[in-house]
Amino acid sequence: MTKTLSVLAVLLVAAPAFAGNIKIGEVGLNPYYGLETRYEDNIYRVPRDINHAPVAGGGVRGSWIVSNNLGLKVSAPIGEMHKVTAGYDLTHDAYKTQSKANSAFNQKVGVGYEFKGAKLEAKLADDYINTQDPAFNPYNTAASDLVQREHRWANTATGSLEYALGDKFFAGVDAQLTRNQYISKSLGATLNTSGVVFGGKAGYKVAPKTKVFAAIHRKLLHYTEETRRDNHRDWNVDFGVEGSLASKLKGLVQVGFNHTSFDYDTSNSTRARVSRHATFLTRLEYAVTERGQFVLALNRGINDSSSTSSRYFVTSGANLAYSHKFGKASAGVNGGVQYDKYSEDFRQGAETKTRRDDNYSLGAKTDYKINDWATVGAAYTFNARFSTFSRQFNYKDNVTAFNAKLSF
């Protein structure tokens, strides 16, 4: 801990020599570095021990974690209408507790292209991640060897086109291709997927900064291994309003409907093949004053389940945050709740019954802007989950963090 703070101090003193915008012709370079040290008292997110014996996952373990984050963003305008962007991000998390199993590297690479004309706007992007999911000990003894972090990669390619039909109307199309691949064959058999989403959106500008819209999208998701019969085809229809909604209020309010058709499961002929659910998505930002702002987020949607016991779960949630600036300092608090209800009875061992997970979070943070290129901060987060299926899915977790970031 002392060594980490010493490194932090050296960086903040030395950084002025390198501060400032970095330009090579019209190309803008934005390198950044972040250092965070945090303590998490339940790194495996498992229930508390009973009578000094672990309930699941090898028992509760806490650890100091030192996270180093290094990255570069590149922006290259080409004339007045074209722009190319690129970025690379590398993070290393070093755990003090059982570091061989927990420490990991995570990488992200992204490229993008934007065109903005008088009537036409177009965007293309590709994002690749190479990451390692957290380790988990499935054995009920604290002395057991940990299962190593699961290595996976994912790639997402997106494209969109929007055309202005006069001063008020607009219409567009978009598409997204995704691929998620685990290196482990055992996990890949149930979790590797490829998918495509495509559709269109049209709307009307009711004010210069406010528009109403309607959208329809088709989604096709395929599990790579034929042993999992959860491939599905979706229709998503949405209606909404976005932009400036009132004085001091801006954001997005969207309601919709999801219709999903699954493949027939020959091993379980009683499984429902069709699901229909209402969906919504809301994000509102309200500026109480020039320095204070509330942010409200609401959501209801459908997510694929990682368990073969249930094809999907319906998630509903709400989060409220408030932030305030005090000169160079800022502070904020937030709280949220999310309910995940599984579509079918969940099976594990001898138990078979309905599963619903109730997730709660509370947090507070403070940051201090030393200057335009350096900030320091501290944060606290509390997370908890309570499951109706089994207490082995319950957990409570506290995270206390201190950080610094240099951005040029």
Side-chain angles (χ1 to χ4, degrees):
M1 178 69 174
T2 304
K3 190 179 295 184
T4 300
L5 293 176
S6 299
V7 172
L8 205 91
V10 170
L11 287 169
L12 293 178
V13 171
F18 306 100
N21 295 323
I22 301 175
K23 288 276 190 177
I24 302 177
E26 293 297 317
V27 178
L29 303 178
N30 174 217
Y32 57 88
Y33 171 73
L35 175 63
E36 179 181 79
T37 180
R38 62 187 183 272
Y39 183 79
E40 185 169 355
D41 67 1
N42 189 359
I43 58 176
Y44 302 128
R45 305 290 175 94
V46 294
R48 299 295 180 186
D49 299 352
I50 296 180
N51 297 325
H52 306 291
V55 174
V60 174
R61 301 287 185 90
S63 179
W64 279 104
I65 307 164
V66 176
S67 181
N68 286 276
N69 175 229
L70 183 65
L72 173 67
K73 296 179 182 178
V74 181
S75 177
I78 305 172
E80 297 181 354
M81 296 186 293
H82 306 268
K83 184 170 72 171
V84 176
T85 57
Y88 174 75
D89 186 276
L90 172 66
T91 301
H92 179 254
D93 292 326
Y95 284 70
K96 185 177 180 180
T97 299
Q98 296 181 309
S99 58
K100 185 178 180 180
N102 290 314
S103 298
F105 285 97
N106 299 290
Q107 299 182 78
K108 299 178 183 179
V109 180
V111 293
Y113 165 77
E114 297 179 21
F115 170 82
K116 189 170 185 178
K119 295 287 186 180
L120 183 67
E121 293 185 17
K123 294 181 180 179
L124 294 171
D126 189 85
D127 294 290
Y128 171 84
I129 64 170
N130 193 308
T131 185
Q132 292 170 276
D133 292 345
F136 179 72
N137 185 350
Y139 306 107
N140 290 335
T141 60
S144 300
D145 292 333
L146 288 169
V147 175
Q148 297 295 314
R149 281 178 171 262
E150 295 294 348
H151 191 182
R152 71 180 177 93
W153 61 263
N155 193 80
T156 303
T158 58
S160 65
L161 191 70
E162 185 175 297
Y163 186 77
L165 305 168
D167 295 331
K168 296 290 187 179
F169 291 94
F170 66 91
V173 293
D174 58 84
Q176 175 179 290
L177 296 171
T178 60
R179 178 72 185 272
N180 190 60
Q181 184 83 28
Y182 277 85
I183 305 304
S184 165
K185 291 184 178 180
S186 59
L187 276 182
T190 56
L191 296 180
N192 288 351
T193 59
S194 59
V196 58
V197 180
F198 58 91
K201 179 180 178 180
Y204 178 80
K205 292 184 179 180
V206 296
K209 295 183 179 180
T210 310
K211 55 187 179 182
V212 295
F213 64 87
I216 183 169
H217 288 87
R218 181 67 161 164
K219 178 180 179 180
L220 308 173
L221 186 79
H222 176 72
Y223 283 86
T224 305
E225 298 296 329
E226 296 298 331
T227 53
R228 182 163 183 179
R229 300 174 177 87
D230 293 332
N231 301 336
H232 57 85
R233 297 153 300 284
D234 301 35
W235 285 106
N236 293 285
V237 180
D238 299 294
F239 304 91
V241 56
E242 60 184 336
S244 180
L245 307 180
S247 176
K248 298 183 179 182
L249 180 67
K250 63 180 181 179
L252 165 71
V253 178
Q254 176 182 296
V255 296
F257 180 77
N258 168 269
H259 180 281
T260 301
S261 297
F262 290 93
D263 282 356
Y264 176 70
D265 187 350
T266 55
S267 64
N268 187 354
S269 60
T270 62
R271 299 186 85 177
R273 295 186 61 190
V274 175
S275 73
R276 302 178 182 89
H277 295 279
T279 61
F280 61 79
L281 178 64
T282 298
R283 179 181 171 85
L284 299 174
E285 300 178 11
Y286 179 68
V288 183
T289 65
E290 292 183 357
R291 293 178 177 271
Q293 176 179 265
F294 280 102
V295 177
L296 173 67
L298 306 170
N299 70 281
R300 187 176 194 269
I302 315 301
N303 290 305
D304 292 298
S305 173
S306 60
S307 171
T308 55
S309 294
S310 186
R311 282 174 155 168
Y312 67 91
F313 59 91
V314 179
T315 181
S316 304
N319 187 277
L320 180 63
Y322 177 74
S323 60
H324 198 93
K325 293 182 179 179
F326 307 90
K328 290 187 175 183
S330 64
V333 293
N334 69 84
V337 59
Q338 178 176 301
Y339 303 108
D340 297 332
K341 185 176 181 180
Y342 286 79
S343 60
E344 302 164 85
D345 284 346
F346 200 82
R347 294 185 294 275
Q348 182 160 318
E351 285 192 279
T352 300
K353 60 182 180 180
T354 301
R355 177 179 173 183
R356 192 194 76 198
D357 295 342
D358 300 344
N359 304 274
Y360 302 93
S361 65
L362 291 171
K365 67 174 184 176
T366 181
D367 294 293
Y368 183 78
K369 188 176 182 179
I370 300 174
N371 47 45
D372 290 339
W373 44 265
T375 60
V376 294
Y380 167 77
T381 305
F382 168 76
N383 298 296
R385 180 172 69 194
F386 302 95
S387 177
T388 60
F389 180 77
S390 169
R391 75 177 308 277
Q392 74 178 63
F393 293 110
N394 299 347
Y395 73 82
K396 293 181 180 179
D397 180 49
N398 296 275
V399 184
T400 304
F402 304 92
N403 61 78
K405 185 173 182 178
L406 309 176
S407 181
F408 309 113

